[in-house]
C-alpha cells in the first residue's frame, strides 16, 4: 500500500512538472493506466517499458490519420516522458457508453482497420533472402504445431483416466491435422506466386483488438502501443486467433473486405496463417482444459466461414 501511495505521488509530481497540469487526484484503471483528474479535465497516463510506439505514432501524425487517440506533448515537446526506468505518456480520457453492443464495436473496429490500412499502404523491396527466411520460419512453425499436437495425442493414449478434454482432442484431431496440412498447401502456393517478385505491400497495423479499447461514439481506438509496420493481414490473424467473439468477427468481416482489395499473395498468406491452428495448453485443471479445447473447436468452425469469404485464383 505504501509503495502504491509513493507511486501516486511520483506520478502526480511528474505530470505537474512535465505537463504543467494541476493534478487533483489519480485513479488506477489497470496495472499501468491511471485516470488523472485536474480542475477542468480528465486525462489518462500510461506507464510503458520502452518507446517503441514512438515510430508508429510519428507515422500516424505524418499521414494525418484520424480515429486514434492522440498523445499530449510534454513541456519539452516530447510525447514520452522518462519515469524511473520506464516512460509515461499522457492522453485525453474518453468516456464510452457502456450500452454499446459488441456488434457495433466490432463493425467500428473493421472500419477503422480498413481506414488505417488504406491510408498507409506502401510497397517495399525485399531480397530473396527475406522470402526464404519467411518460408522457412512458417514451415518450421507448422511442423512444430504438428509435433505439439502429436505429443498431446501420445500423452492421452497412455493415460489411464481418459478426460473429457482428452476425448475432445481425439475427436477433433483429424480436423487439426487437416488444417495444418492445408497450411503447408497454402504456404507452397504463396511461395509459388512470389517467385520472381521482389516487393511486398506493407501498412501500419493496430495489432491489439480489445472491445474495451473501441470508442464507437468518438470513432476512436485507444491503446495504440502495439502498432507496427507489417502486412495488413496480420491485423486479421491477430483478431481471429485471439478473439473469443469469433462468430461476430466472422459475420462482420465483409465490412473490411468491401474496403480493402487484398492481393492474391496476401490472401494465400492469410489462409496459410489462419490454417496454423492455435496451440492449446492442457494441464491438471480439467475445467481449463475443456475451455481451451472448446476455444480451439470454435476457432476451427469459424475459419471455415472465413475461407468462404476469401476468393482466391488458381496459382
Amino acid at each position: 500500500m505504501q509503495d502504491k501511495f509513493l507511486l501516486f505521488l511520483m506520478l502526480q509530481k511528474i505530470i505537474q512538472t512535465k505537463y504543467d497540469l494541476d493534478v487533483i487526484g489519480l485513479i488506477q484503471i489497470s496495472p499501468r493506466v491511471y485516470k488523472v483528474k485536474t480542475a477542468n479535465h480528465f486525462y489518462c497516463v500510461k506507464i510503458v517499458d520502452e518507446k517503441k510506439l514512438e515510430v508508429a505514432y510519428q507515422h500516424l501524425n505524418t499521414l494525418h490519420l484520424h480515429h486514434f487517440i492522440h498523445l499530449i506533448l510534454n513541456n519539452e515537446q516530447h510525447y514520452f516522458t522518462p519515469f524511473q526506468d520506464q516512460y509515461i505518456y499522457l492522453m485525453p480520457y474518453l468516456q464510452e457508453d457502456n450500452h454499446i453492443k459488441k456488434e457495433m464495436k466490432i463493425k467500428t473496429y473493421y472500419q477503422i482497420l480498413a481506414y488505417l490500412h488504406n491510408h498507409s499502404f506502401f510497397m517495399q523491396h525485399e531480397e530473396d533472402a527475406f522470402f526464404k527466411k519467411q518460408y522457412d520460419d512458417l514451415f518450421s512453425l507448422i511442423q512444430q504445431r504438428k509435433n505439439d499436437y502429436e505429443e498431446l495425442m501420445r500423452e492421452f493414449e497412455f493415460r489411464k483416466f481418459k478426460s473429457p478434454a482428452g476425448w475432445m482432442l481425439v475427436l477433433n484431431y483429424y480436423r487439426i491435422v487437416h488444417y495444418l496440412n492445408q497450411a503447408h498447401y497454402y504456404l507452397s502456393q504463396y511461395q509459388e506466386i512470389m517467385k520472381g517478385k521482389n516487393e511486398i505491400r506493407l501498412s501500419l497495423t493496430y495489432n491489439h483488438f480489445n472491445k474495451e479499447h473501441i470508442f464507437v461514439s468518438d470513432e476512436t481506438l485507444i491503446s495504440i502501443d502495439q502498432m507496427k509496420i507489417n502486412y495488413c493481414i496480420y491485423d486479421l490473424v491477430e483478431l481471429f486467433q485471439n478473439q473469443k467473439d469469433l462468430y461476430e468477427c466472422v459475420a462482420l468481416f465483409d465490412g473490411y473486405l468491401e474496403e480493402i482489395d487484398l492481393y492474391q499473395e496476401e490472401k494465400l498468406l492469410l489462409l496459410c496463417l489462419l490454417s496454423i491452428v492455435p496451440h492449446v495448453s492442457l494441464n491438471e485443471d480439467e475445467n481449463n482444459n475443456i475451455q481451451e479445447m472448446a476455444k480451439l473447436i470454435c476457432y476451427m468452425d469459424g475459419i471455415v466461414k472465413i475461407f468462404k469469404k476469401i476468393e482466391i485464383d488458381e496459382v
Side-chain angles (χ1 to χ4, degrees):
M1 184 64 70
Q2 186 177 6
D3 290 343
K4 194 171 185 179
F5 179 70
L6 289 174
L7 179 64
F8 273 43
L9 288 178
M10 288 187 291
L11 275 174
Q12 182 176 5
K13 182 178 180 181
I14 197 168
I15 293 170
Q16 291 180 163
T17 303
K18 295 295 184 179
Y19 295 90
D20 300 321
L21 293 173
D22 186 13
V23 178
I24 297 174
L26 292 166
I27 301 173
Q28 187 170 19
I29 298 176
S30 70
R32 288 173 172 259
V33 179
Y34 297 82
K35 183 179 179 181
V36 181
K37 182 179 181 180
T38 68
N40 301 313
H41 299 286
F42 288 103
Y43 301 89
C44 268
V45 63
K46 185 166 187 178
I47 302 172
V48 293
D49 293 326
E50 53 189 358
K51 297 193 295 181
K52 63 181 181 180
L53 167 62
E54 193 167 35
V55 173
Y57 192 71
Q58 287 173 352
H59 284 299
L60 283 178
N61 286 337
T62 301
L63 297 170
H64 304 291
L65 298 182
H66 311 293
H67 303 302
F68 300 93
I69 195 74
H70 71 270
L71 308 187
I72 298 171
L73 288 166
N74 62 26
N75 52 24
E76 296 175 354
Q77 299 302 299
H78 297 302
Y79 290 111
F80 292 83
T81 303
F83 177 68
Q84 298 179 319
D85 58 346
Q86 298 170 302
Y87 298 91
I88 63 167
Y89 63 80
L90 193 71
M91 52 191 167
Y93 176 77
L94 299 183
Q95 182 69 50
E96 179 66 300
D97 184 348
N98 293 327
H99 300 292
I100 297 290
K101 293 184 177 180
K102 65 180 177 181
E103 289 82 2
M104 281 300 299
K105 284 181 171 275
I106 294 170
K107 183 178 180 180
T108 299
Y109 184 72
Y110 275 131
Q111 290 172 345
I112 296 176
L113 268 194
Y115 169 85
L116 173 66
H117 297 162
N118 262 331
H119 287 78
S120 63
F121 277 135
F122 67 96
M123 302 303 295
Q124 178 164 298
H125 178 87
E126 295 290 353
E127 301 294 339
D128 290 344
F130 169 85
F131 296 105
K132 182 181 185 307
K133 184 177 187 307
Q134 183 184 45
Y135 176 87
D136 290 344
D137 288 346
L138 287 172
F139 187 92
S140 297
L141 177 60
I142 297 166
Q143 192 57 51
Q144 183 59 53
R145 198 59 47 86
K146 280 187 175 183
N147 295 341
D148 292 341
Y149 279 105
E150 287 174 2
E151 180 62 27
L152 286 176
M153 287 291 288
R154 281 194 293 270
E155 290 178 3
F156 178 79
E157 182 181 353
F158 289 107
R159 285 186 178 180
K160 292 182 179 180
F161 171 69
K162 309 298 186 183
S163 66
W167 282 115
M168 293 170 75
L169 172 64
V170 170
L171 293 173
N172 287 276
Y173 183 65
Y174 77 97
R175 299 177 68 194
I176 295 169
V177 172
H178 165 75
Y179 279 118
L180 293 174
N181 287 337
Q182 186 170 269
H184 272 303
Y185 168 76
Y186 285 126
L187 180 59
S188 65
Q189 294 288 94
Y190 173 75
Q191 183 186 41
E192 186 66 25
I193 202 173
M194 293 308 293
K195 284 182 178 177
K197 294 187 178 182
N198 56 15
E199 283 192 327
I200 57 174
R201 184 170 70 162
L202 300 175
S203 71
L204 283 173
T205 57
Y206 182 68
N207 207 43
H208 188 42
F209 177 82
N210 185 324
K211 294 195 298 295
E212 302 303 315
H213 298 158
I214 304 168
F215 288 76
V216 175
S217 56
D218 295 281
E219 296 185 339
T220 298
L221 299 182
I222 62 171
S223 189
I224 56 178
D225 302 52
Q226 303 303 317
M227 291 189 77
K228 62 179 68 172
I229 294 173
N230 206 342
Y231 292 89
C232 66
I233 60 167
Y234 276 91
D235 263 333
L236 304 176
V237 175
E238 190 272 337
L239 172 63
F240 295 136
Q241 289 199 339
N242 299 287
Q243 183 36 235
K244 63 179 181 180
D245 299 311
L246 180 61
Y247 287 127
E248 290 85 353
C249 291
V250 172
L252 296 168
F253 182 37
D254 293 305
Y256 177 86
L257 293 175
E258 289 168 2
E259 299 294 329
I260 299 291
D261 183 18
L262 290 175
Y263 291 176
Q264 177 77 349
E265 58 265 30
E266 292 169 342
K267 293 178 181 179
L268 289 169
L269 186 57
L270 174 60
L271 295 177
C272 170
L273 292 166
L274 292 178
S275 296
I276 306 174
V277 295
H279 175 74
V280 295
S281 298
L282 305 183
N283 50 40
E284 299 302 318
D285 184 348
E286 185 59 16
N287 287 330
N288 173 76
N289 294 345
I290 291 173
Q291 290 178 14
E292 286 288 302
M293 285 306 306
K295 286 193 293 185
L296 175 63
I297 293 168
C298 176
Y299 174 79
M300 291 190 292
D301 291 342
I303 59 174
V304 172
K305 299 175 183 178
I306 297 171
F307 287 3
K308 290 179 180 178
K309 294 175 183 285
I310 302 174
E311 297 179 359
I312 58 171
D313 303 322
E314 290 298 323
V315 178

